[in-house]
Amino acid sequence: MTKTKEKPTKNVEVFFTINDGYAKYLSVTLISILKNARQDEHYNFYILTSDISEENKSKLKAIKTKISYNIEFINIEKDLFNVVAESSQKHITKETNYRFLISSIKRS
């Protein structure tokens, strides 16, 4: 009898930088990613934020799916990017700058 080899789970690391105003858009993004993911993938979502409510955190963590995933909220000090010039485009938030921190965040 031949034993079939199970595929190892592939870890996929995804970072987002948002504030409370973008939480609903993030939920749509997460649902889309998970709906289109393969069964052998495990997603680790890291949310860099300084302004997200506990209610929105709970809603994001409550997304139901058959795909394995974790969400970790990483709090960023609000004043960290105060010296960066504001964008002339109103939709660009200070959280956009948090992406510059991703390479320095150590994941296990």
Side-chain angles (χ1 to χ4, degrees):
M1 188 190 288
T2 340
K3 216 176 189 183
T4 59
K5 246 185 178 179
E6 287 185 32
K7 283 186 176 180
T9 301
K10 178 182 177 188
N11 283 317
V12 181
E13 314 272 330
V14 184
F15 287 80
F16 296 97
T17 60
I18 68 161
N19 61 29
D20 226 22
Y22 286 85
K24 65 182 175 183
Y25 305 111
L26 177 58
S27 67
V28 172
T29 301
L30 295 179
I31 291 167
S32 178
I33 289 170
L34 295 168
K35 184 176 180 180
N36 291 290
R38 295 189 327 245
Q39 289 293 325
D40 66 334
E41 294 174 327
H42 172 83
Y43 281 81
N44 292 303
F45 296 114
Y46 302 101
I47 317 300
L48 282 66
T49 186
S50 61
D51 181 27
I52 189 165
S53 68
E54 290 302 318
E55 179 183 2
N56 279 331
K57 285 181 183 180
S58 294
K59 287 179 181 178
L60 290 167
K61 287 181 178 180
I63 293 172
K64 302 290 185 223
T65 180
K66 293 180 182 178
I67 299 297
S68 175
Y69 77 98
N70 291 323
I71 293 181
E72 181 179 339
F73 294 93
I74 301 171
N75 191 45
I76 305 299
E77 182 62 40
K78 284 185 178 190
D79 299 331
L80 190 60
F81 287 96
N82 279 351
V83 294
V84 177
E86 286 192 29
S87 172
S88 62
Q89 300 175 19
K90 296 213 183 280
H91 71 282
I92 304 296
T93 65
K94 68 177 182 209
E95 287 81 10
T96 302
N97 295 312
Y98 296 172
R99 69 185 186 270
F100 297 120
L101 302 172
I102 293 171
S103 65
S104 65
I105 296 173
K106 297 198 186 318
R107 301 281 44 108
S108 49

